[in-house]
Every structure is written in structure tokens, then in C-alpha cells.
Amino acid sequence: MKISKLLIVLFIANIQILIAQIPHLTGEVKVSILNGTIDGDLEYSNLPKLKNYSIWLNTGLNLRYFRDGEDKFNYGNIKYYDEEKSSEAFQYYFPDKDNKDRFLPEKFKINYVGKFPVISDTLKASNRGDWKGNIAFNGKSIRASEQTAWYPILYDIENDVELNKVTYDIKINCIDCESIYLNGSSPIKGKTANFKSDKPISMMLFAGIFDFTKNNHTYFINTELNSEQEKVLGSWTDKIVNFYENKFKIPYENSVTYLYTTPISKKNAWMFVTYPTIAIIGQEKYNVKSYFAPNTNKLKDNSNIEYFAHELGHYYFGTVIVPNSELRWVFLEGLTEYLALQTVKEVLGEESYHKKIDTYLKGTIDYIPKSMATIKNSEIDETYRYYYVPLLVTALEKEIGKERVWNWLRTVLKSEKSVKTDYEFFKTSLVKSGIKEIEFKNFEEKYILSEKAKENVNKIVK
Ligand SMILES: [Zn+2]
């Protein structure tokens, strides 16, 4: 009895430590979608004790002040830019008295303002140049994901962790909007609203002139689907999520929200996820309605399913575990793409699966991949992330068996939050999941270290 009570006490203490580390954001953000302005007046509290940190704020946002929690004095701050860490944000810190170390109070106030181009006329828009980290005003709405650092984001330098998930109690005031959506809350109709979340969440803001619906348990924001089409998309989502939940035994937790909007460039079209929102960005001809055969409630073809599978997979590799360090892109994008490949096999069948493998093989035909043992984060390009890694993991699957790969993925997802996802972790997590040292050595020798690594991969995956 005593032992179990002690365990419970320890368990609760642990939870409290975890809760204590999640920053809490309050205050007000004013937006105008016609003027392209953001005006933030916020207070950050419940900050963890970090010695080596920076505070990120979008490069288009100008600081009025950092101020103490009691509103008595301003904090002096040092501002710098480190593109390796975030190309979207300036980084700030408070120097201590001797200007030697960084000092982070338990709470602080921050006030900032910024004005961004409103690009409503695509004729004058650039071909490219929109991405998840862009604060986008397209004339009808603002789209700002956590990657933009439209709200201040604390970065733990020591552990290479962005603390972009916060609990919040925030008023959004948008004078020229009809609807407002803040990730983690339900969308609302109106120009102003108070949003609250007790669960830590990455804040993505979408506000403007748009409609939304709720079908079953899923929100559809600005997608303009009819209710039958929403059901079709919803049932594919359920199939994919069920597959992942079954494999990982980790519940998906929140219902997915689908959000569609146009980019501020002519040609960018992509999807991204800020869990639990899946954002679909593209010009009108690529809107969500375009996935359906004209005037029907049937998907044109199933090729978009693989993209949904990829985005939905990011709940696991992106939210449950947030990869970092040298193999960040391998764990974040490569493994998620491998999940999408498995989903395609499960829900669409063998033929679609082999087609996808062929796409990877074609995409890497002239590609010379660096060895995963020595590759650097900045060298992991799109071909490596989205084509080579799924092939490499498929080679692993052929060598050790599929179930043991799932077992490894489960082990990775259960790792400590602060783990560094580097090559050492790749190895130790495999061994921890039950792969024998000798099995790892053989795999490493043949598919990672060998001069013929890529040839060996290609041979076995076919
Ligand atoms: Zn992805």
C-alpha cells in the first residue's frame, strides 16, 4: 500500500512538473485583414527556469517593449538573427546584470506591432514565396501558423526544443473579420472573441471572411464542401486515424479540423499540419472541392489520400514526439512519409503501394544520398526526406520484418520528450526496441555505411 501511495504521489508530482513547464499566454491581439496589421499586447507566465534560451518573434513584428510581470519596468534585451534556428523570427533574450548570462523571469509582458503586405491581387503576386512560416494576408484573411512566431515563442537552446505549445486565454480582435479560428478552440462567428485552452497547443490563427461547418466531430473551415463531401473526407480520415491508433496504441486525442485558404503567391500549393488542424493551401482550382469529381460526392481519384495520410501521420512524428538535432528531418518528415506509405498499402492496396515505391525510386535515380551516420540537418533536402528515407526504412523492414519496424516506431514515440533525435538515437532506439546489436551492425554496414548503400536499398525494396 505504502509503495503504491508513494508512486501515486510521485506520479502527481511528475505531472505537476510537466504542467509547470508549459508557458501560459494571456492578453489581446488586434488584427486588420485589410491593413495587414497585427498588434500584440500579451503576458507570458508559468515560464520554465531556463538559463540558455531565446524568445522568437517574427521579423516583421516590431517590439514596443518587454516589461516585468508587475508592469513596473522594461527589460533590456539583446536581439539577434540565427537563420539556422528560425529564418522567420528574430531572437531575443534578457541579459543578466553582468551581461554575461541570460536571465528569464517567471513571467513578462510583451507589446509589439507589425504591418505586412496584403496580397489580394494575384496578378501582381510572385510565383512562389508562400510557406507555413509566412504570415499571409490574402485580402480575405490572415493565416499565421506557430512557425511564423506571430506570438512570442520560447526556445530552449540547451535541449533544442521550441516551446510553441502553450495554454492560452486570449482575446482576438479583428475589426474587418466575420469569423475567427484559433487552433485548439472552436471557430466562432464575430469580430472579437475570447479563446481559452487548458491543453498546451501550437497557436495557429486564421481570421477573416469565411464560413465553417461541423460535420460529425470534424470542423471544415472555408472548405465549401457539401455535407456529403464532408462525410466522405471524414470517413477517409477515420480510416487513416484508426490505422495509426491501432498500430501505435496511442489515441489521436483531438478531432481533425480541415482548413482551406488561398496562398499569397501564384503557384504555391501544399498542405501543412498544426495539430489538430490540417491546412490546405492553393489557388481556387486546387481547393478542397477540386478533390471531388465535378458535381459529385466522390473523390476524383484516391491520390490525395496519401497526402492526408502524411499530414495525419504528423500527429505522431511532430506532436507526440517533436524531432530535433541532426536527424530532425529524418524523424519528422522521413518517418511520416514512411507512415503514409504504409497507410496507402492498408487503405488503397498493393498496386498503389508499388506505385508509391516507384515514385520514390524515380525521384532518387540521380540522387547521391549522404550517409545517415554523418549527414547534417541542413544537408537533409526534400529528396532525402520524402523519397530516400521511406526507401531506407523499407529496406530495414525487409531485413528485420514489418512488425519489428512498427515496434521500433512505437519505441521512438515513447522516448523522453527531451531526447535528441540524432544518429546515436537512431541506433539506441532500434536496439531498445529489440533489434540485436549484430542485426543493427549488418543493416548499418549494408545500407548506411557501404559505398553501395543506395544500390543495396534499391535492390531490396523492389
Ligand atoms: Zn510533412
Side-chain angles (χ1 to χ4, degrees):
M1 266 308 267
K2 263 186 186 168
I3 286 172
S4 67
K5 260 188 192 162
L6 179 67
L7 280 178
I8 288 168
V9 169
L10 282 175
F11 182 65
I12 291 170
N14 252 326
I15 287 177
Q16 279 171 343
I17 288 166
L18 281 177
I19 290 170
Q21 286 175 340
I22 290 158
H24 182 62
L25 203 50
T26 58
E28 181 171 4
V29 177
K30 288 182 190 153
V31 173
S32 164
I33 57 164
L34 297 179
N35 295 321
T37 51
I38 297 177
D39 205 325
D41 187 20
L42 300 170
E43 181 179 301
Y44 241 139
S45 57
N46 209 33
L47 299 172
K49 287 192 168 54
L50 296 178
K51 287 209 167 74
N52 203 3
Y53 74 95
S54 60
I55 299 160
W56 297 2
L57 194 65
N58 186 276
T59 52
L61 294 168
N62 305 292
L63 197 62
R64 191 172 281 128
Y65 58 70
F66 279 114
R67 216 165 151 72
D68 78 299
E70 269 62 53
D71 207 18
K72 287 186 175 140
F73 57 89
N74 287 7
Y75 284 116
N77 65 81
I78 307 283
K79 173 185 178 182
Y80 63 102
Y81 185 66
D82 181 353
E83 198 177 11
E84 285 277 302
K85 297 295 175 196
S86 165
S87 62
E88 289 92 356
F90 284 126
Q91 308 188 8
Y92 301 81
Y93 68 89
F94 309 135
D96 71 357
K97 280 182 197 123
D98 317 325
N99 267 332
K100 269 188 193 153
D101 291 314
R102 298 175 185 214
F103 150 80
L104 182 65
E106 196 265 333
K107 63 177 174 179
F108 65 82
K109 292 180 189 299
I110 177 170
N111 192 299
Y112 55 91
V113 61
K115 185 163 165 57
F116 298 81
V118 177
I119 302 176
S120 49
D121 182 356
T122 43
L123 279 176
K124 286 184 182 170
S126 305
N127 279 340
R128 307 248 164 215
D130 201 353
W131 74 106
K132 185 186 177 184
N134 186 32
I135 296 181
F137 285 94
N138 64 4
K140 283 195 165 166
S141 60
I142 173 180
R143 179 193 85 230
S145 79
E146 77 287 5
Q147 192 181 320
T148 70
W150 68 275
Y151 61 100
I153 288 171
L154 192 60
Y155 173 63
D156 175 352
I157 295 173
E158 206 69 36
N159 295 304
D160 191 11
V161 174
E162 285 169 45
L163 300 168
N164 65 37
K165 292 189 187 71
V166 298
T167 56
Y168 61 72
D169 181 352
I170 280 187
K171 187 175 175 187
I172 305 286
N173 183 339
C174 179
I175 47 164
D176 36 24
C177 289
E178 286 175 4
S179 309
I180 307 173
Y181 174 60
L182 187 63
N183 200 41
S185 297
S186 303
I188 62 103
K189 281 271 173 202
K191 295 177 190 309
T192 162
N194 213 78
F195 294 96
K196 274 187 190 177
S197 176
D198 299 330
K199 278 192 205 167
I201 193 108
S202 304
M203 292 209 308
M204 173 169 66
L205 176 66
F206 182 66
I209 315 291
F210 58 85
D211 276 324
F212 55 85
T213 54
K214 192 179 187 186
N215 195 326
N216 202 359
H217 45 85
T218 306
Y219 275 108
F220 292 86
I221 297 176
N222 200 33
T223 57
E224 291 175 26
L225 299 181
N226 67 40
S227 141
E228 278 308 307
Q229 292 169 327
E230 289 174 355
K231 275 185 196 143
V232 169
L233 196 52
S235 88
W236 275 109
T237 307
D238 290 345
K239 260 188 218 170
I240 296 166
V241 166
N242 287 343
F243 175 62
Y244 289 150
E245 286 185 328
N246 255 322
K247 287 293 178 195
F248 290 133
K249 310 280 182 255
I250 298 174
Y252 210 76
E253 289 206 338
N254 290 303
S255 291
V256 167
T257 295
Y258 284 100
L259 185 159
Y260 164 74
T261 183
T262 55
I264 52 135
S265 62
K266 282 197 180 94
K267 290 188 175 166
N268 288 110
W270 82 105
M271 288 185 199
F272 69 80
V273 61
T274 294
Y275 179 79
T277 302
I278 293 184
I280 297 136
I281 319 292
Q283 291 299 341
E284 284 293 336
K285 61 178 170 183
Y286 301 116
N287 67 9
V288 189
K289 229 179 168 53
S290 74
Y291 298 171
F292 291 82
N295 305 316
T296 74
N297 302 326
K298 274 195 171 162
L299 287 176
K300 245 187 230 158
D301 59 55
N302 288 332
S303 59
N304 285 308
I305 300 299
E306 60 186 274
Y307 301 118
F308 286 123
H310 178 101
E311 298 306 333
L312 290 163
H314 270 309
Y315 169 62
Y316 294 99
F317 294 91
T319 297
V320 172
I321 184 166
V322 185
N324 59 11
S325 198
E326 291 305 357
L327 295 186
R328 174 178 183 215
W329 295 115
V330 168
F331 280 87
L332 184 64
E333 294 301 342
L335 293 189
T336 300
E337 186 54 24
Y338 175 78
L339 293 187
L341 175 69
Q342 300 312 306
T343 311
V344 162
K345 195 173 190 175
E346 173 76 14
V347 304
L348 297 178
E350 288 284 335
E351 200 185 314
S352 304
Y353 172 81
H354 288 294
K355 238 174 149 179
K356 211 162 158 59
I357 291 275
D358 276 344
T359 310
Y360 298 146
L361 288 171
K362 277 187 196 127
T364 51
I365 258 179
D366 301 315
Y367 189 69
I368 304 163
K370 288 216 161 124
S371 159
M372 206 166 83
T374 50
I375 197 165
K376 293 216 157 23
N377 195 25
S378 56
E379 294 170 329
I380 305 178
D381 58 14
E382 305 227 324
T383 308
Y384 203 95
R385 295 175 204 180
Y386 300 109
Y387 292 83
Y388 191 64
V389 175
L391 287 176
L392 188 64
V393 180
T394 303
L396 177 68
E397 177 195 312
K398 301 279 180 188
E399 287 290 347
I400 66 169
K402 185 174 272 184
E403 279 318 305
R404 294 173 84 197
V405 172
W406 282 113
N407 202 26
W408 168 56
L409 297 172
R410 275 192 290 272
T411 305
V412 170
L413 292 174
K414 282 184 189 136
S415 308
E416 292 283 328
K417 290 261 177 226
S418 58
V419 78
K420 289 206 165 96
T421 54
D422 52 15
Y423 189 69
E424 183 58 25
F425 175 70
F426 174 69
K427 185 190 161 176
T428 53
S429 57
L430 273 164
V431 171
K432 199 177 169 193
S433 77
I435 309 300
K436 294 192 186 87
E437 290 267 356
I438 182 75
E439 286 176 301
F440 178 79
K441 276 248 147 16
N442 290 340
F443 174 77
E444 184 186 42
E445 204 60 45
K446 193 166 172 191
Y447 301 103
I448 294 175
L449 302 179
S450 161
E451 292 214 327
K452 291 188 170 170
K454 186 184 133 183
E455 280 176 70
N456 293 337
V457 168
N458 286 0
K459 226 180 273 167
I460 199 165
V461 297
K462 274 184 196 157

